[in-house]
Amino acid sequence: MRLILLGAPGAGKGTVAKMLTAIDGSVQISTGDILRGAVRDGTDLGKEAKGYMNSGALVPDELILNIMGERLLEDDCKSGFLLDGFPRTIPQADALGEMLTKLGITLDGAVNLDVPRDVILDRLTTRRTCSNSECQAIYNVKSMPSKVDGVCDKCGSPTIQRDDETEEAITKRLETFNEQTAPLVGYYEGKGNLINVNATSSDAVVEAIQSAIK
Ligand code: ADP
Ligand code: ZN
């Protein structure tokens, strides 16, 4: 599969991407995970991105395009990819289109995960993420708790609340999404590429995507 996953923070892009990778060996490419890894490792990229991320703003397009220009050339992309968190602005979408044309790749579609705002808010405040950068499993204290509170089922590392999951940063991230990313729905609809999915359970979302691209 070669898909873009669009949706507000908390819409379930990461969870759905992980489920889809298990189906056909496509690789999940999460710009958020890449950036958080860079912040944790204290690289130049991480130092530059950190302030934007913690406030809930987007990092500059140029940084992201450098990352993605290289990432899409890696070998594991040959079996398909699920773009989770990219593109997030119209200029990023234009640049992605050019990259894919150069690589001779066509997308199966851009999936819009359309989730009601109250569900999103509830999910974001109750989300926990495994602190181990190799694992990054996602939990939810209400709907999908780890077996032992605060400990990852898969690797035993502590599960944490992300720095951008304070109420203030969440509000800002949703605003950023509405202003800069939501217009991509119309953008891909105009290209005839949009797959709109209303379901809220991740199982139903995965089914809807599979039947849409069959
Ligand atoms: P979510 O979708 O839950 O908000 P992500 O993990 O996708 O979170 O991204 C976390 C943060 O990383 C974003 O708030 C933003 O600062 C930055 N980021 C991730 N992807 C991009 C992108 N494509 N363009 C600009 N900033 C990005
Ligand atoms: Zn873990």
Side-chain angles (χ1 to χ4, degrees), residues 29 34 45 62-77 86 99 103:
I29 304 179
I34 294 171
L45 168 67
E62 195 197 330
L63 281 185
I64 295 291
L65 292 175
N66 286 340
I67 297 172
M68 288 305 295
E70 288 180 12
R71 184 65 188 86
L72 286 170
L73 297 178
E74 282 175 37
D75 253 3
D76 59 354
C77 292
F86 173 84
M99 288 177 205
L103 293 168

Short mmCIF file of all heavy atoms in Angstrom, two decimals, residues 29 34 45 62-77 86 99 103:
data_model
loop_
_atom_site.label_atom_id
_atom_site.label_comp_id
_atom_site.label_asym_id
_atom_site.label_seq_id
_atom_site.Cartn_x
_atom_site.Cartn_y
_atom_site.Cartn_z
N ILE A 29 5.88 5.57 7.98
CA ILE A 29 6.82 6.69 8.08
C ILE A 29 6.13 7.81 8.83
O ILE A 29 5.23 8.45 8.29
CB ILE A 29 7.30 7.17 6.70
CG1 ILE A 29 7.91 6.01 5.92
CG2 ILE A 29 8.31 8.30 6.85
CD1 ILE A 29 8.39 6.38 4.51
N ILE A 34 10.01 10.53 13.84
CA ILE A 34 11.36 10.88 13.41
C ILE A 34 11.84 12.12 14.18
O ILE A 34 12.96 12.16 14.70
CB ILE A 34 11.41 11.14 11.88
CG1 ILE A 34 11.12 9.83 11.11
CG2 ILE A 34 12.77 11.72 11.47
CD1 ILE A 34 10.94 10.00 9.61
N LEU A 45 18.88 18.68 14.09
CA LEU A 45 17.47 18.67 13.70
C LEU A 45 16.57 18.74 14.94
O LEU A 45 15.63 19.53 14.99
CB LEU A 45 17.17 17.39 12.90
CG LEU A 45 15.69 17.08 12.65
CD1 LEU A 45 15.07 18.11 11.72
CD2 LEU A 45 15.50 15.67 12.08
N GLU A 62 10.84 23.27 5.20
CA GLU A 62 12.14 22.90 4.65
C GLU A 62 12.78 21.74 5.41
O GLU A 62 13.34 20.82 4.80
CB GLU A 62 13.04 24.14 4.70
CG GLU A 62 14.27 24.04 3.84
CD GLU A 62 15.31 25.09 4.24
OE1 GLU A 62 14.92 26.19 4.70
OE2 GLU A 62 16.51 24.77 4.09
N LEU A 63 12.67 21.78 6.75
CA LEU A 63 13.24 20.69 7.55
C LEU A 63 12.60 19.36 7.21
O LEU A 63 13.26 18.34 7.01
CB LEU A 63 13.00 20.95 9.05
CG LEU A 63 13.88 21.94 9.79
CD1 LEU A 63 13.53 21.93 11.27
CD2 LEU A 63 15.36 21.59 9.60
N ILE A 64 11.26 19.39 7.14
CA ILE A 64 10.50 18.16 6.88
C ILE A 64 10.80 17.63 5.49
O ILE A 64 10.94 16.42 5.28
CB ILE A 64 8.98 18.46 6.99
CG1 ILE A 64 8.62 18.85 8.42
CG2 ILE A 64 8.15 17.30 6.53
CD1 ILE A 64 8.72 17.73 9.40
N LEU A 65 10.92 18.54 4.53
CA LEU A 65 11.14 18.09 3.15
C LEU A 65 12.53 17.48 3.00
O LEU A 65 12.70 16.52 2.25
CB LEU A 65 10.92 19.25 2.17
CG LEU A 65 9.45 19.68 2.11
CD1 LEU A 65 9.27 20.90 1.23
CD2 LEU A 65 8.56 18.53 1.62
N ASN A 66 13.51 18.01 3.75
CA ASN A 66 14.83 17.36 3.73
C ASN A 66 14.75 15.94 4.27
O ASN A 66 15.32 15.02 3.69
CB ASN A 66 15.83 18.16 4.58
CG ASN A 66 16.25 19.44 3.88
OD1 ASN A 66 16.12 19.56 2.67
ND2 ASN A 66 16.73 20.41 4.65
N ILE A 67 14.04 15.79 5.38
CA ILE A 67 13.90 14.46 5.97
C ILE A 67 13.22 13.50 5.00
O ILE A 67 13.69 12.40 4.72
CB ILE A 67 13.03 14.52 7.26
CG1 ILE A 67 13.69 15.37 8.34
CG2 ILE A 67 12.74 13.11 7.79
CD1 ILE A 67 12.78 15.62 9.54
N MET A 68 12.09 13.95 4.45
CA MET A 68 11.28 13.04 3.63
C MET A 68 11.93 12.75 2.28
O MET A 68 11.79 11.65 1.75
CB MET A 68 9.87 13.60 3.44
CG MET A 68 9.03 13.54 4.70
SD MET A 68 8.91 11.87 5.40
CE MET A 68 8.02 11.03 4.09
N GLY A 69 12.63 13.74 1.74
CA GLY A 69 13.33 13.52 0.47
C GLY A 69 14.28 12.35 0.58
O GLY A 69 14.40 11.53 -0.34
N GLU A 70 14.93 12.23 1.74
CA GLU A 70 15.86 11.11 1.94
C GLU A 70 15.14 9.84 2.32
O GLU A 70 15.47 8.75 1.85
CB GLU A 70 16.88 11.47 3.03
CG GLU A 70 17.87 12.51 2.55
CD GLU A 70 18.89 12.89 3.60
OE1 GLU A 70 18.97 12.19 4.65
OE2 GLU A 70 19.58 13.89 3.37
N ARG A 71 14.15 10.00 3.19
CA ARG A 71 13.47 8.81 3.73
C ARG A 71 12.81 7.98 2.63
O ARG A 71 12.86 6.75 2.65
CB ARG A 71 12.43 9.25 4.78
CG ARG A 71 11.72 8.10 5.49
CD ARG A 71 12.69 7.30 6.31
NE ARG A 71 12.09 6.08 6.86
CZ ARG A 71 12.03 4.92 6.22
NH1 ARG A 71 12.50 4.81 4.99
NH2 ARG A 71 11.50 3.85 6.80
N LEU A 72 12.21 8.68 1.65
CA LEU A 72 11.49 7.94 0.61
C LEU A 72 12.41 7.18 -0.34
O LEU A 72 11.96 6.33 -1.11
CB LEU A 72 10.60 8.91 -0.20
CG LEU A 72 9.35 9.40 0.53
CD1 LEU A 72 8.67 10.52 -0.24
CD2 LEU A 72 8.36 8.25 0.76
N LEU A 73 13.72 7.50 -0.27
CA LEU A 73 14.67 6.79 -1.12
C LEU A 73 15.14 5.48 -0.48
O LEU A 73 15.78 4.67 -1.14
CB LEU A 73 15.90 7.67 -1.40
CG LEU A 73 15.63 8.96 -2.17
CD1 LEU A 73 16.91 9.76 -2.33
CD2 LEU A 73 15.03 8.64 -3.53
N GLU A 74 14.84 5.30 0.81
CA GLU A 74 15.35 4.10 1.47
C GLU A 74 14.66 2.85 0.96
O GLU A 74 13.52 2.88 0.51
CB GLU A 74 15.23 4.25 3.00
CG GLU A 74 16.34 5.14 3.54
CD GLU A 74 16.21 5.44 5.03
OE1 GLU A 74 15.80 4.54 5.77
OE2 GLU A 74 16.52 6.58 5.41
N ASP A 75 15.42 1.76 1.02
CA ASP A 75 15.00 0.49 0.43
C ASP A 75 13.66 -0.03 0.92
O ASP A 75 12.88 -0.60 0.15
CB ASP A 75 16.07 -0.58 0.74
CG ASP A 75 16.87 -0.91 -0.50
OD1 ASP A 75 16.62 -0.27 -1.55
OD2 ASP A 75 17.72 -1.81 -0.42
N ASP A 76 13.42 0.15 2.23
CA ASP A 76 12.20 -0.45 2.80
C ASP A 76 10.93 0.16 2.22
O ASP A 76 9.85 -0.43 2.34
CB ASP A 76 12.22 -0.35 4.33
CG ASP A 76 12.32 1.09 4.84
OD1 ASP A 76 12.49 2.01 4.01
OD2 ASP A 76 12.22 1.28 6.06
N CYS A 77 11.05 1.32 1.55
CA CYS A 77 9.85 1.94 0.96
C CYS A 77 9.36 1.17 -0.26
O CYS A 77 8.23 1.39 -0.71
CB CYS A 77 10.14 3.38 0.56
SG CYS A 77 10.43 4.44 1.98
N PHE A 86 2.59 13.37 7.40
CA PHE A 86 3.17 14.08 6.26
C PHE A 86 2.39 13.72 5.02
O PHE A 86 2.09 12.54 4.84
CB PHE A 86 4.64 13.69 6.09
CG PHE A 86 5.26 14.26 4.82
CD1 PHE A 86 5.76 15.55 4.83
CD2 PHE A 86 5.31 13.51 3.65
CE1 PHE A 86 6.32 16.09 3.67
CE2 PHE A 86 5.85 14.05 2.49
CZ PHE A 86 6.36 15.33 2.50
N MET A 99 8.24 14.73 -5.66
CA MET A 99 9.13 13.62 -5.31
C MET A 99 8.62 12.31 -5.90
O MET A 99 9.38 11.52 -6.46
CB MET A 99 9.20 13.43 -3.77
CG MET A 99 9.95 14.49 -3.01
SD MET A 99 9.80 14.08 -1.22
CE MET A 99 10.03 15.69 -0.50
N LEU A 103 10.16 9.70 -8.69
CA LEU A 103 10.43 8.29 -8.37
C LEU A 103 9.55 7.34 -9.19
O LEU A 103 9.72 6.13 -9.12
CB LEU A 103 10.18 8.03 -6.87
CG LEU A 103 11.14 8.73 -5.88
CD1 LEU A 103 10.60 8.63 -4.46
CD2 LEU A 103 12.53 8.10 -5.97
#
